[in-house]
Short mmCIF file of all heavy atoms in Angstrom, two decimals:
data_model
loop_
_atom_site.label_atom_id
_atom_site.label_comp_id
_atom_site.label_asym_id
_atom_site.label_seq_id
_atom_site.Cartn_x
_atom_site.Cartn_y
_atom_site.Cartn_z
N LEU A 1 14.98 -67.00 42.08
CA LEU A 1 15.98 -67.44 43.09
C LEU A 1 17.43 -67.42 42.32
O LEU A 1 17.48 -67.67 41.13
CB LEU A 1 15.63 -68.75 43.53
CG LEU A 1 14.37 -68.97 44.36
CD1 LEU A 1 14.20 -70.42 44.72
CD2 LEU A 1 14.41 -68.09 45.58
N ASN A 2 18.35 -67.19 43.10
CA ASN A 2 19.77 -67.50 42.60
C ASN A 2 20.14 -68.86 42.97
O ASN A 2 19.33 -69.79 43.33
CB ASN A 2 20.67 -66.46 43.19
CG ASN A 2 20.70 -66.56 44.89
OD1 ASN A 2 20.27 -67.51 45.29
ND2 ASN A 2 21.43 -65.53 45.46
N ARG A 3 21.38 -69.27 42.62
CA ARG A 3 21.89 -70.63 42.90
C ARG A 3 21.68 -71.06 44.32
O ARG A 3 21.15 -72.25 44.57
CB ARG A 3 23.23 -70.87 42.35
CG ARG A 3 23.77 -72.28 42.52
CD ARG A 3 25.26 -72.34 41.98
NE ARG A 3 25.45 -72.11 40.75
CZ ARG A 3 25.15 -72.94 39.64
NH1 ARG A 3 24.85 -74.16 39.94
NH2 ARG A 3 25.36 -72.53 38.43
N ARG A 4 21.98 -70.21 45.24
CA ARG A 4 21.92 -70.54 46.64
C ARG A 4 20.34 -70.84 47.03
O ARG A 4 20.07 -71.80 47.81
CB ARG A 4 22.47 -69.55 47.55
CG ARG A 4 22.34 -69.85 48.97
CD ARG A 4 22.80 -68.72 49.81
NE ARG A 4 23.95 -69.32 50.70
CZ ARG A 4 24.44 -68.60 51.62
NH1 ARG A 4 24.23 -67.30 51.66
NH2 ARG A 4 25.39 -69.10 52.41
N GLY A 5 19.56 -69.90 46.54
CA GLY A 5 18.18 -70.16 46.75
C GLY A 5 17.52 -71.37 46.17
O GLY A 5 16.74 -72.11 46.78
N LEU A 6 18.07 -71.73 44.98
CA LEU A 6 17.66 -72.95 44.32
C LEU A 6 18.12 -74.17 45.18
O LEU A 6 17.25 -75.10 45.34
CB LEU A 6 18.17 -73.03 42.95
CG LEU A 6 17.95 -74.42 42.26
CD1 LEU A 6 16.61 -74.62 41.97
CD2 LEU A 6 18.71 -74.29 40.89
N GLU A 7 19.27 -74.17 45.60
CA GLU A 7 19.74 -75.28 46.54
C GLU A 7 18.84 -75.46 47.75
O GLU A 7 18.53 -76.49 48.09
CB GLU A 7 21.18 -75.09 46.82
CG GLU A 7 22.06 -75.22 45.71
CD GLU A 7 23.49 -74.78 45.99
OE1 GLU A 7 23.85 -74.29 47.12
OE2 GLU A 7 24.48 -75.00 45.14
N GLU A 8 18.47 -74.30 48.30
CA GLU A 8 17.62 -74.40 49.51
C GLU A 8 16.22 -74.90 49.22
O GLU A 8 15.65 -75.65 49.89
CB GLU A 8 17.53 -73.02 50.08
CG GLU A 8 18.95 -72.52 50.79
CD GLU A 8 18.80 -71.08 51.25
OE1 GLU A 8 17.84 -70.41 51.29
OE2 GLU A 8 19.91 -70.70 51.66
N ALA A 9 15.70 -74.37 47.99
CA ALA A 9 14.35 -74.92 47.62
C ALA A 9 14.41 -76.31 47.26
O ALA A 9 13.46 -77.06 47.56
CB ALA A 9 13.97 -74.06 46.40
N LEU A 10 15.44 -76.88 46.62
CA LEU A 10 15.52 -78.24 46.29
C LEU A 10 15.67 -79.11 47.59
O LEU A 10 15.11 -80.23 47.67
CB LEU A 10 16.81 -78.53 45.28
CG LEU A 10 16.57 -78.07 43.93
CD1 LEU A 10 17.91 -78.14 43.12
CD2 LEU A 10 15.52 -78.72 43.20
N SER A 11 16.46 -78.64 48.52
CA SER A 11 16.54 -79.35 49.76
C SER A 11 15.19 -79.46 50.49
O SER A 11 14.82 -80.53 51.10
CB SER A 11 17.53 -78.66 50.71
OG SER A 11 18.85 -78.75 50.24
N ALA A 12 14.38 -78.27 50.45
CA ALA A 12 13.08 -78.32 51.12
C ALA A 12 12.15 -79.25 50.36
O ALA A 12 11.38 -80.00 50.92
CB ALA A 12 12.55 -76.88 51.07
N ALA A 13 12.22 -79.26 49.09
CA ALA A 13 11.36 -80.17 48.26
C ALA A 13 11.67 -81.71 48.43
O ALA A 13 10.85 -82.55 48.61
CB ALA A 13 11.55 -79.87 46.78
N SER A 14 13.03 -81.97 48.69
CA SER A 14 13.49 -83.21 48.94
C SER A 14 12.93 -83.63 50.25
O SER A 14 12.55 -84.93 50.38
CB SER A 14 15.03 -83.25 48.84
OG SER A 14 15.46 -84.59 49.16
N ARG A 15 13.01 -82.91 51.32
CA ARG A 15 12.51 -83.26 52.62
C ARG A 15 10.96 -83.48 52.46
O ARG A 15 10.46 -84.46 53.10
CB ARG A 15 12.80 -82.05 53.55
CG ARG A 15 14.28 -82.06 53.95
CD ARG A 15 14.48 -81.17 55.20
NE ARG A 15 14.02 -79.69 54.96
CZ ARG A 15 14.77 -78.83 54.34
NH1 ARG A 15 16.02 -79.15 53.95
NH2 ARG A 15 14.25 -77.63 54.25
N ALA A 16 10.24 -82.54 51.79
CA ALA A 16 8.86 -82.78 51.62
C ALA A 16 8.49 -84.01 50.94
O ALA A 16 7.48 -84.80 51.32
CB ALA A 16 8.25 -81.49 50.81
N ALA A 17 9.17 -84.37 49.90
CA ALA A 17 9.02 -85.62 49.11
C ALA A 17 9.23 -86.79 49.93
O ALA A 17 8.47 -87.78 49.98
CB ALA A 17 9.90 -85.65 47.86
N ALA A 18 10.38 -86.87 50.90
CA ALA A 18 10.59 -87.84 51.67
C ALA A 18 9.49 -87.95 52.72
O ALA A 18 9.21 -89.21 53.26
CB ALA A 18 11.93 -87.56 52.42
N ALA A 19 8.78 -86.99 53.08
CA ALA A 19 7.66 -87.06 54.06
C ALA A 19 6.30 -87.47 53.37
O ALA A 19 5.34 -87.41 54.11
CB ALA A 19 7.56 -85.65 54.71
N GLY A 20 6.39 -87.65 52.00
CA GLY A 20 5.20 -88.04 51.30
C GLY A 20 4.53 -87.02 50.58
O GLY A 20 3.36 -87.27 49.89
N THR A 21 4.87 -85.79 50.58
CA THR A 21 4.25 -84.72 49.77
C THR A 21 4.65 -84.83 48.30
O THR A 21 5.85 -84.87 48.01
CB THR A 21 4.68 -83.26 50.32
OG1 THR A 21 4.29 -83.32 51.76
CG2 THR A 21 4.03 -82.21 49.65
N PRO A 22 3.79 -84.74 47.49
CA PRO A 22 4.15 -84.90 45.93
C PRO A 22 4.83 -83.64 45.65
O PRO A 22 4.47 -82.59 46.05
CB PRO A 22 2.66 -85.01 45.32
CG PRO A 22 1.65 -85.29 46.35
CD PRO A 22 2.31 -84.81 47.51
N CYS A 23 5.93 -83.76 44.78
CA CYS A 23 6.71 -82.68 44.38
C CYS A 23 7.03 -82.92 42.84
O CYS A 23 6.98 -84.00 42.26
CB CYS A 23 8.02 -82.57 45.08
SG CYS A 23 7.86 -82.27 46.86
N ALA A 24 7.34 -81.83 42.20
CA ALA A 24 7.73 -81.89 40.76
C ALA A 24 8.86 -80.99 40.53
O ALA A 24 8.99 -79.84 41.30
CB ALA A 24 6.57 -81.48 39.97
N LEU A 25 9.63 -81.19 39.49
CA LEU A 25 10.71 -80.38 39.11
C LEU A 25 10.67 -80.13 37.64
O LEU A 25 10.47 -81.14 36.90
CB LEU A 25 12.11 -80.94 39.48
CG LEU A 25 13.33 -80.31 39.10
CD1 LEU A 25 13.52 -79.03 39.98
CD2 LEU A 25 14.56 -81.22 39.31
N ALA A 26 10.77 -78.89 37.04
CA ALA A 26 10.84 -78.80 35.67
C ALA A 26 12.06 -77.90 35.26
O ALA A 26 12.48 -76.95 36.10
CB ALA A 26 9.54 -77.89 35.25
N HIS A 27 12.63 -78.29 34.20
CA HIS A 27 13.83 -77.58 33.67
C HIS A 27 13.56 -76.94 32.35
O HIS A 27 13.12 -77.76 31.43
CB HIS A 27 15.14 -78.50 33.57
CG HIS A 27 16.22 -77.87 32.93
ND1 HIS A 27 16.70 -78.11 31.73
CD2 HIS A 27 17.01 -76.89 33.35
CE1 HIS A 27 17.74 -77.50 31.34
NE2 HIS A 27 18.01 -76.63 32.40
N VAL A 28 13.48 -75.60 32.18
CA VAL A 28 12.99 -74.92 30.91
C VAL A 28 14.28 -74.25 30.34
O VAL A 28 14.86 -73.38 30.98
CB VAL A 28 11.96 -73.98 31.22
CG1 VAL A 28 11.63 -73.25 30.00
CG2 VAL A 28 10.76 -74.48 31.91
N ASP A 29 14.81 -74.75 29.26
CA ASP A 29 15.95 -74.27 28.64
C ASP A 29 15.51 -73.38 27.42
O ASP A 29 14.70 -73.69 26.72
CB ASP A 29 16.80 -75.48 28.10
CG ASP A 29 18.23 -74.88 27.57
OD1 ASP A 29 18.74 -74.23 28.08
OD2 ASP A 29 18.51 -75.55 26.41
N MET A 30 16.26 -72.28 27.34
CA MET A 30 16.08 -71.41 26.22
C MET A 30 16.93 -71.80 25.07
O MET A 30 18.14 -71.47 25.04
CB MET A 30 16.37 -69.93 26.63
CG MET A 30 15.60 -69.45 27.93
SD MET A 30 13.99 -68.90 27.55
CE MET A 30 14.27 -67.41 26.71
N ASP A 31 16.45 -72.49 24.29
CA ASP A 31 17.28 -73.04 23.01
C ASP A 31 17.78 -71.93 22.19
O ASP A 31 17.14 -70.84 22.00
CB ASP A 31 16.33 -73.96 22.14
CG ASP A 31 16.21 -75.37 22.73
OD1 ASP A 31 16.90 -75.70 23.73
OD2 ASP A 31 15.33 -76.02 22.31
N ARG A 32 18.98 -72.00 21.86
CA ARG A 32 19.63 -71.12 20.84
C ARG A 32 19.70 -69.65 21.45
O ARG A 32 19.81 -68.81 20.71
CB ARG A 32 19.04 -71.10 19.54
CG ARG A 32 19.20 -72.48 18.84
CD ARG A 32 18.61 -72.47 17.51
NE ARG A 32 18.79 -73.86 16.90
CZ ARG A 32 18.34 -74.09 15.79
NH1 ARG A 32 17.88 -73.17 14.96
NH2 ARG A 32 18.58 -75.38 15.28
N PHE A 33 19.78 -69.50 22.75
CA PHE A 33 19.73 -68.25 23.36
C PHE A 33 21.01 -67.54 23.02
O PHE A 33 21.03 -66.32 22.76
CB PHE A 33 19.59 -68.34 24.87
CG PHE A 33 19.61 -67.07 25.58
CD1 PHE A 33 18.44 -66.27 25.49
CD2 PHE A 33 20.64 -66.48 26.24
CE1 PHE A 33 18.45 -64.99 26.08
CE2 PHE A 33 20.61 -65.40 26.95
CZ PHE A 33 19.52 -64.44 26.79
N LYS A 34 22.13 -68.15 23.01
CA LYS A 34 23.47 -67.52 22.64
C LYS A 34 23.40 -66.96 21.23
O LYS A 34 23.91 -65.88 21.05
CB LYS A 34 24.56 -68.63 22.60
CG LYS A 34 25.96 -67.94 22.31
CD LYS A 34 27.03 -69.01 22.40
CE LYS A 34 28.43 -68.42 22.10
NZ LYS A 34 28.50 -67.49 21.06
N LEU A 35 22.72 -67.53 20.39
CA LEU A 35 22.51 -67.03 19.00
C LEU A 35 21.72 -65.64 19.10
O LEU A 35 22.06 -64.71 18.30
CB LEU A 35 21.71 -67.91 18.05
CG LEU A 35 21.47 -67.58 16.63
CD1 LEU A 35 22.80 -67.45 15.96
CD2 LEU A 35 20.69 -68.64 15.97
N ILE A 36 20.71 -65.53 20.00
CA ILE A 36 19.96 -64.22 20.04
C ILE A 36 20.93 -63.27 20.56
O ILE A 36 20.95 -62.12 20.04
CB ILE A 36 18.85 -64.44 21.02
CG1 ILE A 36 17.79 -65.44 20.59
CG2 ILE A 36 18.24 -63.18 21.41
CD1 ILE A 36 17.09 -65.12 19.25
N ASN A 37 21.77 -63.50 21.61
CA ASN A 37 22.73 -62.55 22.17
C ASN A 37 23.63 -62.13 21.05
O ASN A 37 24.09 -60.94 20.85
CB ASN A 37 23.51 -63.13 23.36
CG ASN A 37 22.75 -62.87 24.53
OD1 ASN A 37 21.85 -61.98 24.78
ND2 ASN A 37 23.11 -63.64 25.57
N ASP A 38 24.26 -63.11 20.24
CA ASP A 38 25.07 -62.73 19.26
C ASP A 38 24.51 -61.96 18.05
O ASP A 38 25.28 -61.09 17.63
CB ASP A 38 25.79 -64.14 18.60
CG ASP A 38 26.71 -64.79 19.63
OD1 ASP A 38 27.01 -64.29 20.65
OD2 ASP A 38 26.91 -66.14 19.32
N LEU A 39 23.30 -62.26 17.68
CA LEU A 39 22.76 -61.53 16.63
C LEU A 39 22.29 -60.18 16.94
O LEU A 39 22.28 -59.21 16.22
CB LEU A 39 21.62 -62.44 15.99
CG LEU A 39 22.08 -63.62 15.20
CD1 LEU A 39 20.92 -64.46 14.78
CD2 LEU A 39 22.94 -63.32 14.03
N TYR A 40 21.55 -60.15 18.07
CA TYR A 40 20.83 -58.91 18.44
C TYR A 40 21.43 -58.16 19.69
O TYR A 40 20.95 -57.08 19.98
CB TYR A 40 19.37 -59.22 18.72
CG TYR A 40 18.75 -59.99 17.55
CD1 TYR A 40 18.38 -61.36 17.48
CD2 TYR A 40 18.50 -59.34 16.37
CE1 TYR A 40 17.88 -61.86 16.33
CE2 TYR A 40 17.94 -59.81 15.33
CZ TYR A 40 17.64 -61.26 15.26
OH TYR A 40 17.14 -61.82 14.17
N GLY A 41 22.34 -58.72 20.35
CA GLY A 41 23.01 -57.99 21.47
C GLY A 41 22.38 -58.43 22.77
O GLY A 41 21.30 -59.14 22.92
N HIS A 42 23.22 -58.16 23.87
CA HIS A 42 22.72 -58.68 25.26
C HIS A 42 21.58 -57.85 25.82
O HIS A 42 20.85 -58.42 26.67
CB HIS A 42 23.97 -58.46 26.12
CG HIS A 42 25.08 -59.50 25.92
ND1 HIS A 42 25.05 -60.73 26.30
CD2 HIS A 42 26.23 -59.29 25.13
CE1 HIS A 42 26.22 -61.37 25.81
NE2 HIS A 42 26.82 -60.57 25.21
N GLY A 43 21.29 -56.71 25.32
CA GLY A 43 20.16 -55.96 25.77
C GLY A 43 18.78 -56.71 25.30
O GLY A 43 17.93 -56.78 26.15
N ILE A 44 18.80 -57.16 24.14
CA ILE A 44 17.69 -57.95 23.60
C ILE A 44 17.55 -59.24 24.29
O ILE A 44 16.52 -59.67 24.75
CB ILE A 44 17.77 -58.15 22.15
CG1 ILE A 44 17.69 -56.76 21.41
CG2 ILE A 44 16.62 -59.12 21.65
CD1 ILE A 44 16.39 -56.08 21.59
N GLY A 45 18.69 -59.87 24.42
CA GLY A 45 18.81 -61.16 25.22
C GLY A 45 18.28 -61.06 26.66
O GLY A 45 17.50 -61.86 27.08
N ASP A 46 18.69 -59.98 27.37
CA ASP A 46 18.22 -59.76 28.70
C ASP A 46 16.70 -59.55 28.72
O ASP A 46 16.08 -59.94 29.68
CB ASP A 46 18.92 -58.57 29.33
CG ASP A 46 20.32 -58.79 29.65
OD1 ASP A 46 20.80 -60.04 29.63
OD2 ASP A 46 21.14 -57.72 29.86
N GLY A 47 16.18 -58.76 27.77
CA GLY A 47 14.72 -58.59 27.65
C GLY A 47 14.03 -59.96 27.42
O GLY A 47 12.97 -60.04 27.99
N MET A 48 14.54 -60.75 26.63
CA MET A 48 13.90 -62.07 26.46
C MET A 48 13.85 -62.81 27.74
O MET A 48 12.82 -63.53 28.14
CB MET A 48 14.64 -62.85 25.40
CG MET A 48 14.29 -62.36 23.95
SD MET A 48 15.01 -63.32 22.66
CE MET A 48 14.22 -64.89 23.07
N LEU A 49 14.96 -62.88 28.45
CA LEU A 49 14.99 -63.56 29.77
C LEU A 49 14.00 -63.00 30.76
O LEU A 49 13.34 -63.72 31.45
CB LEU A 49 16.38 -63.48 30.37
CG LEU A 49 17.42 -64.41 29.69
CD1 LEU A 49 18.79 -64.05 30.37
CD2 LEU A 49 17.19 -65.79 29.83
N GLN A 50 13.98 -61.68 30.75
CA GLN A 50 12.94 -60.97 31.60
C GLN A 50 11.49 -61.35 31.35
O GLN A 50 10.71 -61.66 32.09
CB GLN A 50 13.07 -59.48 31.75
CG GLN A 50 14.44 -59.08 32.42
CD GLN A 50 14.77 -57.64 32.23
OE1 GLN A 50 14.09 -56.92 31.46
NE2 GLN A 50 15.85 -57.16 32.75
N ALA A 51 11.16 -61.32 29.96
CA ALA A 51 9.85 -61.75 29.53
C ALA A 51 9.61 -63.16 29.81
O ALA A 51 8.44 -63.52 30.31
CB ALA A 51 9.79 -61.55 28.06
N ALA A 52 10.55 -64.08 29.65
CA ALA A 52 10.29 -65.49 29.94
C ALA A 52 10.05 -65.71 31.47
O ALA A 52 9.19 -66.46 31.85
CB ALA A 52 11.49 -66.44 29.44
N ALA A 53 10.93 -64.99 32.21
CA ALA A 53 10.75 -65.08 33.77
C ALA A 53 9.30 -64.61 34.17
O ALA A 53 8.71 -65.35 34.97
CB ALA A 53 11.85 -64.25 34.41
N ALA A 54 8.87 -63.49 33.55
CA ALA A 54 7.56 -62.92 33.92
C ALA A 54 6.46 -63.90 33.54
O ALA A 54 5.58 -64.15 34.28
CB ALA A 54 7.33 -61.61 33.33
N ARG A 55 6.68 -64.62 32.36
CA ARG A 55 5.57 -65.54 31.82
C ARG A 55 5.62 -66.70 32.82
O ARG A 55 4.60 -67.23 33.19
CB ARG A 55 5.80 -65.87 30.48
CG ARG A 55 4.74 -66.77 29.92
CD ARG A 55 4.94 -67.00 28.41
NE ARG A 55 4.26 -65.76 27.84
CZ ARG A 55 4.03 -65.76 26.46
NH1 ARG A 55 4.32 -66.80 25.84
NH2 ARG A 55 3.54 -64.60 25.98
N LEU A 56 6.76 -67.27 33.09
CA LEU A 56 6.84 -68.42 33.96
C LEU A 56 6.33 -68.17 35.37
O LEU A 56 5.57 -68.95 35.91
CB LEU A 56 8.34 -69.03 34.01
CG LEU A 56 8.76 -69.69 32.63
CD1 LEU A 56 10.32 -69.88 32.80
CD2 LEU A 56 7.93 -70.90 32.43
N THR A 57 6.63 -67.00 35.91
CA THR A 57 6.23 -66.55 37.18
C THR A 57 4.79 -66.48 37.20
O THR A 57 4.17 -66.90 38.38
CB THR A 57 6.93 -65.30 37.68
OG1 THR A 57 8.43 -65.51 37.69
CG2 THR A 57 6.47 -64.82 39.05
N SER A 58 4.13 -65.99 36.23
CA SER A 58 2.61 -65.83 36.23
C SER A 58 1.96 -67.18 36.18
O SER A 58 0.73 -67.20 36.40
CB SER A 58 2.26 -64.93 35.16
OG SER A 58 2.41 -65.52 33.94
N ALA A 59 2.60 -68.19 35.71
CA ALA A 59 2.06 -69.49 35.58
C ALA A 59 2.24 -70.53 36.77
O ALA A 59 1.64 -71.53 36.72
CB ALA A 59 2.70 -70.20 34.34
N ILE A 60 2.96 -70.04 37.72
CA ILE A 60 3.15 -70.89 38.91
C ILE A 60 2.39 -70.47 40.17
O ILE A 60 2.07 -69.29 40.13
CB ILE A 60 4.72 -71.13 39.30
CG1 ILE A 60 5.28 -69.75 39.66
CG2 ILE A 60 5.50 -71.76 38.01
CD1 ILE A 60 6.83 -69.91 40.13
N ARG A 61 2.24 -71.33 41.14
CA ARG A 61 1.68 -70.94 42.34
C ARG A 61 2.52 -70.14 43.19
O ARG A 61 3.75 -70.18 42.98
CB ARG A 61 1.17 -72.23 43.08
CG ARG A 61 0.23 -73.16 42.27
CD ARG A 61 0.08 -74.50 43.11
NE ARG A 61 1.32 -75.04 43.18
CZ ARG A 61 1.47 -76.38 43.77
NH1 ARG A 61 0.48 -77.08 44.02
NH2 ARG A 61 2.67 -76.95 43.77
N GLY A 62 1.99 -69.41 44.15
CA GLY A 62 2.80 -68.65 45.08
C GLY A 62 3.71 -69.46 45.91
O GLY A 62 4.68 -68.95 46.41
N SER A 63 3.32 -70.63 46.15
CA SER A 63 4.11 -71.59 47.05
C SER A 63 5.32 -72.20 46.17
O SER A 63 6.12 -72.96 46.76
CB SER A 63 3.31 -72.56 47.67
OG SER A 63 2.59 -73.45 46.61
N ASP A 64 5.27 -72.00 44.93
CA ASP A 64 6.37 -72.76 44.02
C ASP A 64 7.55 -71.78 43.95
O ASP A 64 7.45 -70.54 44.23
CB ASP A 64 5.77 -72.92 42.59
CG ASP A 64 4.78 -73.98 42.64
OD1 ASP A 64 4.69 -74.87 43.50
OD2 ASP A 64 3.85 -73.94 41.74
N SER A 65 8.65 -72.30 43.46
CA SER A 65 9.85 -71.44 43.37
C SER A 65 10.32 -71.54 41.88
O SER A 65 10.13 -72.58 41.22
CB SER A 65 11.02 -72.08 44.26
OG SER A 65 10.65 -71.97 45.65
N ILE A 66 10.90 -70.46 41.54
CA ILE A 66 11.58 -70.40 40.17
C ILE A 66 13.02 -69.81 40.30
O ILE A 66 13.13 -68.91 40.98
CB ILE A 66 10.68 -69.77 39.21
CG1 ILE A 66 11.32 -69.74 37.73
CG2 ILE A 66 10.42 -68.33 39.54
CD1 ILE A 66 10.36 -69.37 36.63
N ALA A 67 13.88 -70.46 39.60
CA ALA A 67 15.34 -69.85 39.62
C ALA A 67 15.80 -69.79 38.20
O ALA A 67 15.39 -70.68 37.33
CB ALA A 67 16.20 -70.85 40.47
N ARG A 68 16.73 -68.99 37.98
CA ARG A 68 17.34 -68.80 36.67
C ARG A 68 18.77 -69.21 36.75
O ARG A 68 19.50 -68.74 37.67
CB ARG A 68 17.22 -67.50 36.10
CG ARG A 68 17.82 -67.42 34.65
CD ARG A 68 17.67 -66.01 33.97
NE ARG A 68 18.52 -65.03 34.48
CZ ARG A 68 19.72 -64.91 34.21
NH1 ARG A 68 20.31 -65.53 33.30
NH2 ARG A 68 20.46 -63.84 34.75
N LEU A 69 19.26 -70.09 35.96
CA LEU A 69 20.79 -70.42 35.84
C LEU A 69 21.15 -70.21 34.36
O LEU A 69 20.65 -71.09 33.61
CB LEU A 69 20.86 -71.89 36.24
CG LEU A 69 20.60 -72.24 37.80
CD1 LEU A 69 20.68 -73.71 38.08
CD2 LEU A 69 21.34 -71.43 38.67
N ALA A 70 21.91 -69.22 34.15
CA ALA A 70 22.29 -69.00 32.80
C ALA A 70 21.12 -68.79 31.88
O ALA A 70 20.34 -67.84 32.12
CB ALA A 70 23.32 -70.00 32.32
N ASP A 71 20.91 -69.65 30.89
CA ASP A 71 19.80 -69.50 30.06
C ASP A 71 18.76 -70.48 30.23
O ASP A 71 17.93 -70.79 29.36
CB ASP A 71 20.22 -69.60 28.52
CG ASP A 71 20.93 -70.87 28.10
OD1 ASP A 71 21.19 -71.65 29.01
OD2 ASP A 71 21.08 -71.14 26.97
N SER A 72 18.62 -70.97 31.43
CA SER A 72 17.63 -71.99 31.87
C SER A 72 16.88 -71.47 33.12
O SER A 72 17.39 -70.74 33.88
CB SER A 72 18.22 -73.40 32.18
OG SER A 72 18.95 -73.83 31.13
N PHE A 73 15.66 -71.95 33.31
CA PHE A 73 14.88 -71.75 34.48
C PHE A 73 14.58 -73.14 35.06
O PHE A 73 14.32 -74.17 34.33
CB PHE A 73 13.60 -71.10 34.13
CG PHE A 73 13.80 -69.70 33.65
CD1 PHE A 73 13.91 -69.51 32.20
CD2 PHE A 73 13.86 -68.62 34.33
CE1 PHE A 73 14.12 -68.17 31.70
CE2 PHE A 73 14.06 -67.33 33.91
CZ PHE A 73 14.15 -67.00 32.66
N ILE A 74 14.63 -73.13 36.40
CA ILE A 74 14.27 -74.33 37.13
C ILE A 74 13.05 -73.96 38.02
O ILE A 74 13.00 -73.03 38.68
CB ILE A 74 15.39 -74.81 38.11
CG1 ILE A 74 16.87 -74.91 37.49
CG2 ILE A 74 14.99 -76.14 38.83
CD1 ILE A 74 16.89 -75.88 36.38
N ILE A 75 11.94 -74.83 37.90
CA ILE A 75 10.75 -74.60 38.61
C ILE A 75 10.60 -75.72 39.48
O ILE A 75 10.58 -76.87 39.16
CB ILE A 75 9.63 -74.38 37.60
CG1 ILE A 75 9.88 -73.33 36.60
CG2 ILE A 75 8.30 -74.10 38.32
CD1 ILE A 75 8.99 -73.37 35.41
#
């Protein structure tokens, strides 16, 4: 998801939680990501973000949402 999609997903989760449905939020930060871009270039950095996104996506349920904001992922 992009930022707008994340905002919509958070609103939906907030409504679900208010109705008694258990919800969780995880923030996954890519530590020292700027250093990777600086040392190896943006192509390598983009590849790392894509690999991280694929791994996280494979680990969540189909009903869950994942968004990327800069060098972080929100699940």
Side-chain angles (χ1 to χ4, degrees):
L1 300 173
N2 59 16
R3 182 178 297 274
R4 180 183 237 184
L6 174 61
E7 290 171 358
E8 291 171 4
L10 289 173
S11 291
S14 180
R15 288 190 302 275
T21 302
C23 296
L25 177 70
H27 176 246
V28 180
D29 184 49
M30 305 281 287
D31 285 344
R32 300 184 180 182
F33 182 72
K34 183 181 181 319
L35 181 62
I36 298 298
N37 275 339
D38 291 347
L39 289 175
Y40 303 106
H42 291 277
I44 297 295
D46 289 348
M48 285 186 62
L49 286 174
Q50 290 170 357
R55 183 172 281 193
L56 290 169
T57 299
S58 72
I60 63 174
R61 300 173 299 188
S63 60
D64 295 334
S65 299
I66 185 168
R68 185 176 73 83
L69 299 175
D71 62 349
S72 297
F73 294 90
I74 310 297
I75 304 166

